[in-house]
Amino acid sequence: MIIHVTDQAGANHELEGLEGWRVMEVIRDWGLNIKAECGGALSCATCHVYVDKDWMDVVGAPSDEEEDMLDSVGDVRSNSRLSCQILCSDALDGLKVTLAATAAKD
Amino acid sequence: MSTEITTDVVVIGAGPCGLFAAFELGLLDLKCHFIDILDRPGGQCAELYPEKPIYDIPGFPVVTGQQLTDNLMAQIAPFAPEFHFNRMVNSIEKQEDGSFKLSTDADEVFHTKVVVIAAGGGSFQPKRPPVDGIEEFENKSVFYSVRKMDDFRGQDLVIVGGGDSALDWTLNLEPIVNSLTLVHRRPVFKAAPASVNKMHELVAEGKINFITGQIAKLDGENGQINHVHLTTDAGDLSVPATRLLPFFGLTMKLGPVADWGLELNDNTIKVDTEKFETSVPGIFAIGDINWYPGKLKLILSGFHEAALMAQAAKAIVSPGERVVFQYTTSSTKLQKKLGVA
Ligand SMILES: Cc1cc2nc3c(=O)[nH]c(=O)nc-3n(C[C@H](O)[C@H](O)[C@H](O)COP(=O)(O)OP(=O)(O)OC[C@H]3O[C@@H](n4cnc5c(N)ncnc54)[C@H](O)[C@@H]3O)c2cc1C
Ligand code: FES
């Protein structure tokens, strides 16, 4: 499966995702600018992405715990998600996301 | 005037690895002082995952981050290490006699024979909201914590956030400010329900203003803000403000560790695997902050590193003294130190 990621500088990247991996792990593995400080434990919100409008329904809504975590970033939009909470699957082949400014490493 | 403290060992970072180091150092009669930017011990365990279970601590099939911290604190209590919280170590200087002088941002100076850097992933620092140019206002009219309440007296204050810090300071500062606006991105709060109820009462009484929205831009000059611009569902809004307190939680930054003249590997400090000493003799690095071939960033590894480091630290503090290797189970000498024999 392929995921399309736009980084903070506006560059597009086509990344090969692995079934069962978290989208955060794919982005990190490919060396893009994602801090992902807690490694996917839903404790940091430094893996914040905006999901492309066309993909919102497929990806689904964040859990209550994820919503709580999103309180700790200042640039939340209606399509905000934490990429460590999105699991790669065939249904998400072609997924498009954009890295939020608050996901950047220092 | 600065406070001067003299000790055997200063441990920078009170995360799990630093805490266990106090045990190993204590068994060898070395006195240690801790310095941490957080307001409590536990490092990542306490800050990032206090409630989450850890499964790979030997002897504990499961333990939460906070329980592990509490247990480590109980384990080191017999050695009475001293803690200096809410301070950042800014500099380490080697003295002519081989000892070290450490300075903190709270104007303290520590004189010590040994330094143990257990700084983990770096120091925890407030998350900065993504607002252009916010740096120019920081520590002048934009603050990430309240050090002196008086700085807020008579001011037009905007507080941003929905957690305990945001709500606690809303309630504490309301009586002394000129006006207070609380901004949160949604009407749901993570804070203690009693604080949330009290906040709603103050809104109903007209004493504070609550706006659902996010902070977009700051106006002002020479470090002094005069307006905070917000984006809300109903459109953009501008609130007059002379003080801003954003509470978005903490994030780890390597910080001054990088400037201490130690040999680094990426963002970690190179050490040997015999003593876990850095490129500067007398300065050790244990836990997540160090690097050597095969390093695993696990709490378990940091515990092992602490034990070996302590032996080497002893040789520096008490040169020439023979250290006999003993088990805590069978040595009455060690048990006396622990207060159990
Ligand atoms: C969500 C999550 C789950 C994890 N699960 C596990 C697990 O199951 N098993 C496991 O073994 N590990 C786990 N880890 C990793 C584990 O937490 C780390 O290995 C461990 O915390 C490292 O301990 P430490 O003492 O080296 O540093 P830290 O815990 O990072 O503590 C470092 C301390 O030093 C302070 N500090 C740094 N620089 C300065 C300075 N200049 N001045 C003052 N203070 C400073 C910091 O504020 C911090 O309190 C997990 C981590 C996370 C985030
Ligand atoms: S990586 Fe920390 S919340 Fe996703």
Side-chain angles (χ1 to χ4, degrees):
Chain A
M1 66 166 292
I2 295 292
I3 57 176
H4 302 271
V5 181
T6 307
D7 65 23
Q8 289 92 346
N12 294 309
H13 306 263
E14 206 176 282
L15 313 183
E16 172 134 27
L18 277 174
E19 177 106 22
W21 280 42
R22 297 146 190 269
V23 167
M24 174 278 282
E25 289 167 336
V26 176
I27 299 172
R28 187 180 60 183
D29 228 49
W30 281 81
L32 301 195
N33 192 6
I34 193 166
K35 192 170 186 191
E37 178 170 281
C38 79
L42 198 45
S43 307
C44 72
T46 56
C47 61
H48 178 201
V49 296
Y50 304 114
V51 173
D52 187 273
K53 297 272 190 279
D54 293 341
W55 284 91
M56 290 284 289
D57 286 345
V58 194
V59 172
S63 65
D64 287 350
E65 214 186 328
E66 187 178 333
E67 280 285 6
D68 283 350
M69 234 17 262
L70 280 167
D71 284 346
S72 70
V73 293
D75 50 0
V76 180
R77 299 181 196 155
S78 56
N79 56 339
S80 281
R81 286 294 311 264
L82 296 178
S83 57
C84 70
Q85 301 304 305
I86 310 175
L87 269 188
C88 293
S89 70
D90 279 348
L92 292 187
D93 193 6
L95 173 70
K96 282 196 181 120
V97 301
T98 301
L99 287 171
T102 46
K105 293 181 206 160
D106 304 319
Chain B
M1 215 188 77
S2 59
T3 314
E4 307 248 341
I5 294 165
T6 302
T7 181
D8 293 330
V9 183
V10 169
V11 183
I12 303 169
C17 304
L19 291 178
F20 189 65
F23 183 80
E24 293 292 337
L25 292 162
L27 286 179
L28 299 169
D29 301 316
L30 301 182
K31 169 81 188 161
C32 66
H33 280 253
F34 279 95
I35 306 172
D36 203 300
I37 184 89
L38 291 181
D39 59 0
R40 59 187 187 283
Q44 294 179 39
C45 296
E47 189 53 44
L48 290 176
Y49 59 102
E51 309 288 335
K52 285 200 163 66
I54 311 173
Y55 298 98
D56 58 351
I57 304 296
F60 288 98
V62 55
V63 62
T64 66
Q66 190 56 49
Q67 283 166 345
L68 177 66
T69 305
D70 294 345
N71 286 347
L72 284 164
M73 288 297 282
Q75 192 168 21
I76 64 178
F79 303 119
E82 288 179 47
F83 289 90
H84 307 265
F85 291 121
N86 297 311
R87 2 237 193 278
M88 166 106 104
V89 178
N90 283 331
S91 68
I92 307 181
E93 288 163 46
K94 191 155 189 148
Q95 306 300 106
E96 266 180 23
D97 65 356
S99 69
F100 298 93
K101 188 174 144 192
L102 269 80
S103 309
T104 72
D105 61 356
D107 206 18
E108 285 149 331
V109 174
F110 290 79
H111 301 279
T112 182
K113 295 193 181 118
V114 169
V115 177
V116 178
I117 304 174
S123 49
F124 281 98
Q125 290 173 35
K127 277 189 190 167
R128 181 180 266 159
V131 176
D132 281 346
I134 192 165
E135 296 90 334
E136 101 175 69
F137 300 104
E138 285 172 356
N139 300 319
K140 295 187 185 118
S141 54
V142 175
F143 299 90
Y144 297 107
S145 64
V146 178
R147 290 216 169 174
K148 274 210 323 274
M149 278 182 54
D150 226 41
D151 289 342
F152 297 85
R153 188 175 298 280
Q155 303 286 336
D156 293 312
L157 172 64
V158 173
I159 293 184
V160 192
D164 282 311
S165 307
L167 271 282
D168 288 351
W169 285 115
T170 296
L171 303 183
N172 286 333
L173 293 172
E174 181 276 322
I176 66 164
V177 294
N178 181 48
S179 73
L180 198 156
T181 306
L182 174 66
V183 180
H184 183 42
R185 75 171 178 101
R186 55 187 184 137
V188 180
F189 293 84
K190 255 191 310 185
S195 315
V196 179
N197 291 341
K198 181 80 190 128
M199 180 273 292
H200 283 308
E201 277 169 29
L202 291 174
V203 174
E205 290 166 23
K207 291 191 170 151
I208 63 170
N209 193 7
F210 171 63
I211 299 175
T212 322
Q214 293 184 90
I215 154 175
K217 199 170 137 278
L218 301 178
D219 276 350
E221 53 188 12
N222 300 327
Q224 177 55 56
I225 52 166
N226 53 42
H227 280 86
V228 172
H229 297 273
L230 306 171
T231 39
T232 75
D233 287 346
D236 293 350
L237 205 71
S238 168
V239 183
T242 55
R243 290 283 181 275
L244 172 68
L245 274 169
F247 291 112
F248 287 105
L250 301 175
T251 187
M252 297 179 92
K253 298 213 163 106
L254 189 61
V257 175
D259 309 323
W260 293 339
L262 305 166
E263 209 179 315
L264 301 180
N265 175 56
D266 245 341
N267 283 333
T268 48
I269 303 172
K270 270 195 188 167
V271 291
D272 65 62
T273 49
E274 182 193 350
K275 301 185 276 196
F276 300 94
E277 199 166 35
T278 66
S279 56
V280 176
I283 304 184
F284 298 83
I286 61 167
D288 278 14
I289 192 77
N290 78 10
W291 182 86
Y292 50 86
K295 167 72 183 183
L296 283 181
K297 284 192 185 181
L298 284 177
I299 295 168
L300 162 81
S301 320
F303 288 172
H304 158 82
E305 294 158 13
L308 289 181
M309 171 282 295
Q311 300 289 326
K314 176 73 180 174
I316 293 175
V317 178
S318 321
E321 193 178 309
R322 218 176 121 235
V323 179
V324 182
F325 177 75
Q326 293 170 310
Y327 289 120
T328 55
T329 44
S330 44
S331 160
T332 41
K333 221 169 149 196
L334 293 185
Q335 288 167 0
K336 274 210 184 98
K337 292 181 192 178
L338 292 168
V340 293

